[in-house]
Amino acid sequence: LIAMQSVGKTYPMGDLTVHALRGLDLTIARGELVVLLGPSGSGKTTTLNILGGLDRPTGGRVVVEGEEIARFDERRLTAYRRTKVGFVFQFFNLIPTLTALENVEFALSLTGRGSSLIRRSRELLALVSLEDRADHFPSQLSGGEQQRVAIARALANRPALLLCDEPTGNLDVETARQVLQAIRDLNRREGATVILVSHNASIAPMADRVVRLHDGSVAKIESNPHP
Amino acid sequence: LIAMQSVGKTYPMGDLTVHALRGLDLTIARGELVVLLGPSGSGKTTTLNILGGLDRPTGGRVVVEGEEIARFDERRLTAYRRTKVGFVFQFFNLIPTLTALENVEFALSLTGRGSSLIRRSRELLALVSLEDRADHFPSQLSGGEQQRVAIARALANRPALLLCDEPTGNLDVETARQVLQAIRDLNRREGATVILVSHNASIAPMADRVVRLHDGSVAKIESNPHP
Ligand SMILES: Nc1ncnc2c1ncn2[C@@H]1O[C@H](COP(=O)(O)OP(=O)(O)OP(=O)(O)O)[C@@H](O)[C@H]1O
Ligand SMILES: Nc1ncnc2c1ncn2[C@@H]1O[C@H](COP(=O)(O)OP(=O)(O)OP(=O)(O)O)[C@@H](O)[C@H]1O
Ligand SMILES: [Mg+2]
Ligand SMILES: [Mg+2]
């Protein structure tokens, strides 16, 4: 499904250049659940942003379902993001002027499912135990509640590619387990390809493979025989 | 040092009322290191915000060093926050128009230490391994790097009361260990009173006591004999 070949991302900073990614090589099969680990600053968010069409590499190739997405113009990238990708951002990116329910409805409406929009949105909020926070605005939600709305929103369109940037960083063990179960179900039942960035060591066992980044490139890949 | 007596915090939401805190009783001794745990939405951030003078309870009393801070006017609360409290926010609250170094310098300048401001700021960034990100703006930093600037900033004035809301939520195990060591040092060497909210189970052993919240009040308190 995905091939990243010698991908680079640099930021010129005066005399210095920051290499967020350098010579990153990674192939991911359709339906795989990959956990992406690595120290703070090693390039995990940058990798997800490039795969999700939110950022472009400064070098290398990124091929998704046979198409080189780094070469898409803005219109095609937007279509790619809306139809193919579900994204749980490290800092949620909820729409502050919409309630929890409206944030999920909005995501659903982007792929045009008119009828049962409200019913499906309520189901998604129930999946992350937020049915009684439906009418709260993001500023009226706890950190972990905002994170869960972001997860419900990402799952809404049953995306072919689910990208999760620290989806349990603000959740207690029990709530985290619930969320990871929902992500795993999407992978197992719908065949979604999932890339999960997490510092939570207990997440690694659920992966098909664990990819470790270091200083902007792949340092190590481990396979889990029975995830 | 701190006494919270039957503290309540309610938010009227149309017909329903949300009880973020209800009848919360908690006493914390000077120099204690307390870890505050509990499910997402149980009132941890609300508790820290009230102790840090960022929010007021709707019921009960909050006494810090003999003074009822919930009765302070805005000027006294601002002075309390600046001189007594160091705060690591769940979502950092960095000043977006200042670099990492400037964010730390700004915190130092609030307590008027003119000379060696830059040197001390650089030391604090080095403490969290960010010396070569000094000139990056928050938008040019990774999630964990932003979190570390927030930590450096909170430690800057060696506060008497350090309040940390999920300080390692975006950090890998190794970086988290480094940060927790710095927090522990402030507690052991400077005698700072520390209240640490965390979902990270490995943090509990470093506490003198572990306080568990549930639905806005204290459910359980455990003492660690030898933290
Ligand atoms: N402004 C507000 N209006 C209405 N409800 C609110 C508001 N702020 C917080 N709440 C509610 O109060 C409860 C406690 O919030 P708080 O942020 O203290 O939880 P928390 O323990 O920090 O959770 P987390 O672990 O998810 O960060 C939550 O259920 C939240 O929905
Ligand atoms: N706009 C930018 N300008 C300059 N440097 C940047 C910019 N964005 C990111 N960086 C740098 O690129 C590196 C990789 O960032 P990235 O956000 O991908 O890390 P990460 O692995 O997600 O880290 P974390 O675990 O802390 O979230 C970091 O060292 C960061 O400082
Ligand atoms: Mg990141
Ligand atoms: Mg919170």
Side-chain angles (χ1 to χ4, degrees), chain A residues 142-143, chain B residues 45 90 165:
Chain A
S142 77
Chain B
T45 294
Q90 194 165 4
D165 203 345

Side-chain angles (χ1 to χ4, degrees), chain B residues 100-138:
Chain B
L101 187 69
E102 290 165 346
N103 263 279
V104 179
E105 283 173 6
F106 179 72
L108 278 172
S109 69
L110 291 176
T111 50
R113 283 167 214 191
S115 65
S116 79
L117 201 76
I118 292 184
R119 182 180 56 75
R120 172 121 178 96
S121 303
R122 289 203 183 275
E123 281 173 9
L124 285 155
L125 283 183
L127 193 64
V128 292
S129 305
L130 283 181
E131 51 273 52
D132 51 355
R133 289 287 180 269
D135 302 326
H136 285 231
F137 289 94

